[in-house]
Amino acid sequence: MPTEYLSKNRIIMARIIGSRIINAIRLLDHDSPEDLRTEWGPAILTLEDEYQVILEVEESKANLTLRDARTISHNSTWYSGFQARAEIVEPVADDPLGFLLMDRVAGIEVISRPPEPGVPDSFTMCGMRIRMERGRQACIGTHLTDLLIPAVAFLLPEDVDPELRYRALHGDEPA
């Protein structure tokens, strides 16, 4: 039986399509590192209607989890451990991922890779490839490179493992 959060992920991903992302923030428990795109720790995407999505790694299955930020208490132990905030992407031409904040999301594909032996549902939804209206794409997820790093990474398609698999969010046909 598929892990329950995978269906919730699909619902939240569908909610992102057609929206404009206005901010991508890394939650940190330390000072801001040099490259926030690949830093360990959860991230928050804020959409133009102020809807916020928390992106985290579900480490036992090596999948990305998406949660509606409204479902998390700001007083919870989880949230209180991440006091520092830093912008992952800026809407400027010299930011390689700046286009994420300049255009609407046109589509999303689910990223996966072959599962670990004996670990059902592992890598089933390790990320999402976001396609913008003007055609640019970004991959957001965990274990996206051949190094299998368990972090919520924001990468260009040319920076990810070529062995990753992509599937349209709405349907079974490969993207």
Side-chain angles (χ1 to χ4, degrees):
M1 178 168 170
T3 306
E4 182 181 318
Y5 66 84
L6 297 177
S7 60
K8 291 179 182 176
N9 279 1
R10 289 180 178 282
I11 292 167
I12 293 174
M13 285 180 187
R15 168 83 168 67
I16 296 170
I17 297 171
S19 295
R20 193 166 121 332
I21 300 168
I22 61 167
N23 208 337
I25 299 289
R26 175 76 64 199
L27 301 180
L28 300 163
D29 60 359
H30 56 280
D31 289 334
S32 182
E34 191 171 306
D35 188 1
L36 289 163
R37 296 177 311 139
T38 56
E39 176 64 17
W40 180 88
I44 298 177
L45 294 180
T46 303
L47 305 182
E48 63 189 335
D49 63 359
E50 299 183 17
Y51 182 76
Q52 292 185 314
V53 178
I54 297 175
L55 309 168
E56 300 175 89
V57 176
E58 195 287 299
E59 294 183 26
S60 70
K61 303 279 187 172
N63 285 308
L64 182 68
T65 63
L66 287 79
R67 298 195 298 172
D68 181 335
R70 297 174 296 189
T71 66
I72 303 210
S73 167
H74 292 287
N75 297 322
S76 74
T77 304
W78 174 90
Y79 190 84
S80 64
F82 297 99
Q83 294 299 314
R85 308 279 187 272
E87 290 185 19
I88 300 168
V89 178
E90 295 185 36
V92 293
D94 64 344
D95 186 325
L97 293 169
F99 64 88
L100 283 172
L101 306 181
M102 297 181 204
D103 205 358
R104 292 196 176 282
V105 175
I108 294 179
E109 290 86 36
V110 174
I111 301 173
S112 64
R113 60 171 65 244
E116 286 289 319
V119 187
D121 298 326
S122 63
F123 300 115
T124 300
M125 191 178 284
C126 58
M128 59 183 170
R129 181 168 61 183
I130 295 178
R131 183 175 36 83
M132 308 307 286
E133 283 183 332
R134 295 182 193 160
R136 301 277 318 259
Q137 297 180 4
C139 297
I140 301 173
T142 183
H143 300 82
L144 297 180
T145 68
D146 57 356
L147 299 176
L148 298 177
I149 298 170
V152 177
F154 288 66
L155 300 171
L156 294 169
E158 58 266 23
D159 297 329
V160 302
D161 186 345
E163 300 298 317
L164 292 175
R165 300 173 181 173
Y166 302 90
R167 191 164 298 282
L169 180 60
H170 299 291
D172 294 326
E173 62 283 345

